[in-house]
Amino acid sequence: MRKLILFGDSITAGYANDFVSPILTKKLATYFPEETILNVGIPGDTTVDGIARLKKHVLSKQPDLVTVFFGSNDASTGLLVPIDEYRLHLTKMIETIGASKVILITPALSNQALQQAERPNSRLIHYGNIVRELATQYQTKLAELQLAMLDRPNYLDCLQEDGFHFSEIGYDVLAEEIAKAIKA
């Protein structure tokens, strides 16, 4: 049995209708019933917070695989982590966890009618490009969430009414992308 740790922010945690539930964990269990899946997503986290809790929430659990899913808060106007710092934080996570154990996930897109000022997609895509570059550089697994969302007829069905957190459809897409990355 392998251990998969889901490491990230509120989208990882499973934020839904003002409460946190293990939505992503349940959806991934359908792909990997023999896996032990631990969700250590925390709403509001950026890569700064991720670095601070990496040892306690990830390394101490001795995982076989770790999803690293940060960027939506890093790229937000209110919490903005400069792009160079974002790259450095992700690099530290990859190197500390070990590249062969990491599954990087590109940040989710947002509904621009609701989130343009706080989370512009142009900035989220720029942060996603950093994730892609690091995945190539370190040869980690990559879950291409941004492209999966853009491939949908209307990616807005992935989002809740706030234009940012995921709907059930969004979690289906995310779980499928993580499963593809693990199986690749």
Side-chain angles (χ1 to χ4, degrees):
M1 182 183 311
R2 298 187 316 169
K3 188 182 299 178
L4 169 64
I5 295 196
L6 308 175
F7 185 47
D9 57 24
S10 59
I11 298 174
T12 299
Y15 185 89
N17 303 320
D18 298 326
F19 67 92
V20 176
S21 63
I23 298 169
L24 180 58
T25 307
K26 286 179 186 174
K27 290 192 178 293
L28 279 171
T30 65
Y31 289 100
F32 307 107
E34 74 284 352
E35 304 281 336
T36 299
I37 302 171
L38 301 174
N39 190 325
V40 296
I42 295 184
D45 264 12
T46 66
T47 53
V48 173
D49 305 300
I51 291 292
R53 63 188 182 90
L54 185 62
K55 184 175 181 180
K56 180 180 180 182
H57 289 183
V58 177
L59 300 177
S60 68
K61 312 275 191 235
Q62 301 178 330
D64 297 297
L65 292 170
V66 179
T67 64
V68 176
F69 187 25
F70 293 91
S72 294
N73 292 326
D74 294 81
S76 73
T77 302
L79 298 172
L80 190 61
V81 174
I83 195 84
D84 291 338
E85 288 181 31
Y86 177 70
R87 179 193 304 272
L88 287 173
H89 297 158
L90 288 179
T91 298
K92 184 172 182 177
M93 288 179 196
I94 294 165
E95 290 176 353
T96 302
I97 296 166
S100 65
K101 294 181 178 184
V102 170
I103 304 161
L104 291 175
I105 304 173
T106 55
L109 300 175
S110 67
N111 179 336
Q112 294 302 271
L114 301 171
Q115 291 281 330
Q116 174 63 37
E118 183 63 22
R119 290 179 178 86
N121 280 342
S122 59
R123 191 181 306 146
L124 290 165
I125 290 169
H126 190 51
Y127 279 61
N129 287 337
I130 297 300
V131 173
R132 290 177 190 92
E133 289 170 17
L134 291 173
T136 299
Q137 178 182 344
Y138 285 92
Q139 298 181 343
T140 68
K141 295 179 183 301
L142 176 65
E144 265 291 3
L145 180 60
Q146 287 180 348
L147 294 181
M149 290 176 79
L150 289 171
D151 281 347
R152 298 186 59 75
N154 181 4
Y155 78 87
L156 297 179
D157 66 357
C158 292
L159 306 173
Q160 291 184 41
E161 290 179 6
D162 67 0
F164 166 60
H165 292 101
F166 273 17
S167 67
E168 287 285 332
I169 293 169
Y171 282 109
D172 287 338
V173 172
L174 178 56
E176 185 177 325
E177 291 306 308
I178 292 170
K180 276 193 230 176
I182 291 172
K183 291 176 181 177

